[in-house]
Amino acid sequence: MLSIYNTLSRKKEEFIPLEAGKVKMYVCGPTVYDLFHIGNARSFINSDFIRKYLEYLGYEVTFVMNLTDIDDKIIKKGLKENTSAQLVAKTYTDEFFKDITTLGIKPATIYPRATEHIEDIIALIQSLVDNGTAYQSGNDVFYDISKFSTYGKLSGKNIDDLMEGARVEVNEAKKSPLDFALWKGAKEGEPFWESPWGKGRPGWHIECSAMSCKHLGKTFDIHAGGSDLIFPHHENEIAQSEASTGQKFVNYWLHFGFLNIDNEKMSKSLGNFFTARDILAKYSKETVRFFFAQTHYAAPLNFTSEGLDSSKRGLQKVQNLYERLLDLQQSAVSGGTQPDFNLAGYYQSVEEALNDDFNSPRALAVVFDFVRDANRILNETTNPAKEFVNEIMSFVQKIVIGIFGIVQLEKSNAADPTLENDLIELLISVRTQAKASKNFQMSDLIRDELKKLGIILQDSKEKTTYKKQE
RNA sequence: GGCGGUGUAGCCAAGUGGUCAAAGGCGAAGGACUGCAAAUCCUUUACUCACCGGUUCGAAUCCGGUCAUCGCCUCCA
């Protein structure tokens, strides 16, 4: 039984999808005005991991991630770079997909763009105007939060507190400082679409309500996003959608913890701002994914290079087992020894952990137990059956690769007969001869010099293998 | 000021009433294997869970208080 911590109820709840066997899930995607940063990457990776686990459980997941491709920041960037908002959005949408691919994230079922849903957005705003929840003021349309009695139910805020805390706003167009824009009238030189309220563009909050409804329906199962989006963004989405449809908007609200850098909020002014691309230049996607998975998705996470280095070293153990299994799949034969190994127990423990609100750190502890035990049994088994090796490998495939994505599939010593690899093999055979004649000075020299070139030799009883360092 | 998160070994991080003298990773120490390494395996590394008080037969886990820290309340994953 899967349970999920629901921000709305502030409790873990048993997950029951609207439709048996299917999950409709929406995650707030990026505003495409720049490369996404490592904090974004955490949310994207965690939503990917959750989606993959749901699929592992057998659910058919409709996974929607929106792209905000029209927004103040995009317009501003266009002006600054003397280009169009449209081109800025196009550029960073392309870059977004590149980074998503680099991170090993499975593509969403659909990536709806705000600019491709203007009609839906206008229709939604119109319904709110028609039922009196929204009002036009000049060329803008605002949501009247006084008309939505449960406003604040997600974030636990009440309107009076918000009013007290509200910064003094000089916008006299709004009835209340807390009202927010659904439609923004176009100013000179800004991109616009025609609407019943004149030329303009959608506000940020409304697009998620419109696009989630269009692609997932009036009510859907899971809505996820960064914890900073709880208020006002998700609060506003509920207000918009529920006021329009009269139905519950989302059953499970799931929020990702924030990522700090060296205990400080990441910001460009502090000089501790890292794009996902910056990090991926130094660390593999597997290391980054593993680093994130070692902390529960909802907990705050402090991002340090020490932490990443530690993850990188820890992950090597898993990678080594994977490569050991690859070799064994080549050499093992049917009819070998079939040792006792309680594989089902590891699957069960992983599922128990992940069923408990996607507890990835606990699941990874099981993975490490599995790695240790698998190594031990392989050490003890002289001639393991091919079937056994395949069973062990399938755990790695389904859990470690399928859900977490933390194994590099390419072996570090690619088997291609390149000149380089041939030369390494040659040196290894020279060294083997040297060892046979107890010329250890020579054999150590070869090993040390190869190490300097990033090639690590490992002797086993039968043969010497090598791997290349990253 | 309002709301929320976090505080567990040198570092990271699970655990939310007994099976906890607290998982897992990194680091460290010792051992097996090895010509020596590497890889792998074995052993050790928190009598203690920010602090104080309370509830309970029993608390890291519940309650009250204190302190520290991060975030949201304005665009933000």
Side-chain angles (χ1 to χ4, degrees):
Chain A
M1 182 190 100
L2 173 64
S3 65
I4 299 181
Y5 180 86
N6 189 349
T7 307
L8 190 59
S9 64
R10 298 184 193 285
K11 292 195 294 250
K12 275 186 203 169
E13 297 174 7
E14 181 182 354
F15 178 67
I16 303 169
L18 287 162
E19 194 181 335
K22 297 188 178 179
V23 178
K24 297 182 194 313
M25 178 170 179
Y26 186 94
V27 180
C28 287
T31 299
V32 284
Y33 74 106
D34 205 342
L35 295 176
F36 68 80
H37 55 66
I38 192 64
N40 296 296
R42 185 186 183 201
S43 294
F44 298 155
I45 286 173
N46 276 142
S47 55
D48 181 59
F49 144 68
I50 286 168
R51 182 252 191 109
K52 285 173 175 166
Y53 183 59
L54 290 169
E55 290 178 342
Y56 168 88
L57 289 177
Y59 289 110
E60 182 188 311
V61 180
T62 307
F63 184 93
V64 178
M65 178 176 279
N66 70 296
L67 299 177
T68 300
D69 60 351
I70 182 65
D71 172 86
D72 290 353
K73 281 182 289 198
I74 295 172
I75 295 171
K76 203 190 276 180
K77 182 115 178 181
L79 291 172
K80 192 175 147 199
E81 304 198 337
N82 212 13
T83 179
S84 68
Q86 202 180 8
L87 190 62
V88 169
K90 163 103 178 58
T91 302
Y92 289 106
T93 297
D94 291 347
E95 300 301 321
F96 165 78
F97 284 117
K98 281 186 205 162
D99 286 344
I100 283 289
T101 305
T102 312
L103 284 169
I105 288 170
K106 182 171 177 175
T109 314
I110 182 165
Y111 290 101
R113 274 93 157 156
T115 56
E116 292 170 358
H117 292 76
I118 300 294
E119 280 180 33
D120 304 293
I121 291 168
I122 288 173
L124 176 57
I125 296 173
Q126 187 61 253
S127 78
L128 292 170
V129 171
D130 290 347
N131 71 19
T133 320
Y135 58 92
Q136 182 174 4
S137 176
N139 293 320
D140 299 329
V141 179
F142 293 101
Y143 189 97
D144 185 346
I145 65 147
S146 69
K147 298 285 167 56
F148 191 69
S149 60
T150 56
Y151 191 78
K153 68 179 170 183
L154 179 70
S155 55
K157 298 178 187 302
N158 68 64
I159 292 178
D160 293 339
D161 288 342
L162 285 168
M163 289 301 281
E164 280 176 32
R167 315 284 161 95
V168 182
E169 203 164 349
V170 285
N171 191 343
E172 291 174 0
K174 299 204 278 190
K175 290 183 188 171
S176 155
L178 300 181
D179 292 349
F180 55 92
L182 300 173
W183 187 262
K184 297 180 173 186
K187 300 191 187 76
E188 186 63 33
E190 289 182 347
F192 63 84
W193 287 261
E194 296 290 348
S195 84
W197 317 284
K199 296 176 164 69
R201 64 178 191 278
W204 176 44
H205 310 299
I206 196 72
E207 58 175 87
C208 283
S209 283
M211 294 191 286
S212 60
C213 181
K214 167 131 184 183
H215 296 287
L216 296 173
K218 290 175 181 174
T219 305
F220 56 95
D221 297 299
I222 299 175
H223 191 136
S227 54
D228 56 332
L229 295 182
I230 295 172
F231 189 89
H233 187 235
H234 292 331
E235 197 70 73
N236 291 352
E237 281 186 51
I238 293 174
Q240 294 160 344
S241 294
E242 298 192 352
S244 168
T245 66
Q247 294 182 20
K248 190 174 186 191
F249 177 43
V250 167
N251 283 143
Y252 301 88
W253 284 93
L254 196 149
H255 288 99
F256 302 118
F258 229 68
L259 179 144
N260 285 343
I261 309 275
D262 294 324
N263 287 316
E264 285 192 283
K265 181 169 177 171
M266 173 162 51
S267 78
K268 287 185 175 165
S269 58
L270 283 170
N272 63 355
F273 187 92
F274 297 105
T275 62
R277 207 166 282 188
D278 293 334
I279 302 302
L280 286 167
K282 291 186 194 149
Y283 297 93
S284 68
K285 66 171 183 288
E286 289 80 14
T287 297
V288 174
R289 294 182 74 106
F290 175 58
F291 177 75
F292 288 150
Q294 279 182 298
T295 300
H296 184 80
Y297 75 82
L301 171 63
N302 192 32
F303 191 88
T304 63
S305 55
E306 292 76 21
L308 278 170
D309 289 338
S310 155
S311 291
K312 182 179 172 182
R313 282 190 291 269
L315 197 52
Q316 193 61 50
K317 196 180 284 189
V318 180
Q319 185 72 30
N320 286 343
L321 175 67
Y322 172 72
E323 295 185 10
R324 181 178 191 178
L325 291 170
L326 277 184
D327 287 342
L328 278 171
Q329 283 187 316
Q330 298 299 315
S331 58
V333 291
S334 299
T337 315
Q338 181 77 36
D340 278 341
F341 193 68
N342 181 19
L343 245 191
Y346 299 100
Y347 281 107
Q348 193 187 332
S349 299
V350 165
E351 287 166 24
E352 275 171 16
L354 295 181
N355 279 343
D356 184 12
D357 195 27
F358 309 105
N359 193 324
S360 55
R362 228 166 87 199
L364 286 178
V366 177
V367 166
F368 275 91
D369 286 343
F370 160 81
V371 169
R372 182 198 59 217
D373 296 344
N375 272 315
R376 183 164 47 195
I377 206 95
L378 290 172
N379 289 348
E380 290 168 357
T381 309
T382 39
N383 179 28
K386 196 174 191 101
E387 295 75 17
F388 174 71
V389 174
N390 287 342
E391 271 180 37
I392 301 282
M393 185 56 124
S394 89
F395 180 90
V396 175
Q397 292 284 359
K398 286 181 190 157
I399 305 291
V400 186
I401 295 171
I403 298 174
F404 291 107
I406 54 175
V407 166
Q408 276 177 270
L409 300 180
E410 318 78 44
K411 280 188 68 176
S412 39
N413 56 340
D416 336 333
T418 60
L419 179 61
E420 180 185 310
N421 288 338
D422 286 348
L423 285 171
I424 293 169
E425 294 289 357
L426 178 63
L427 282 167
I428 287 175
S429 47
V430 170
R431 177 167 171 275
T432 304
Q433 297 222 350
K435 280 206 323 171
S437 53
K438 305 239 187 274
N439 185 352
F440 296 122
Q441 214 176 350
M442 174 61 78
S443 67
D444 290 351
L445 177 74
I446 292 173
R447 185 171 64 197
D448 294 345
E449 290 301 314
L450 281 174
K451 190 177 180 188
K452 285 181 194 166
L453 299 171
I455 294 152
I456 313 291
L457 297 192
Q458 299 185 357
D459 295 338
S460 69
K461 285 204 179 83
E462 303 81 30
K463 59 177 180 179
T464 298
T465 57
Y466 68 95
K467 64 199 310 183
K468 295 172 187 171
Q469 266 183 337
E470 283 177 38

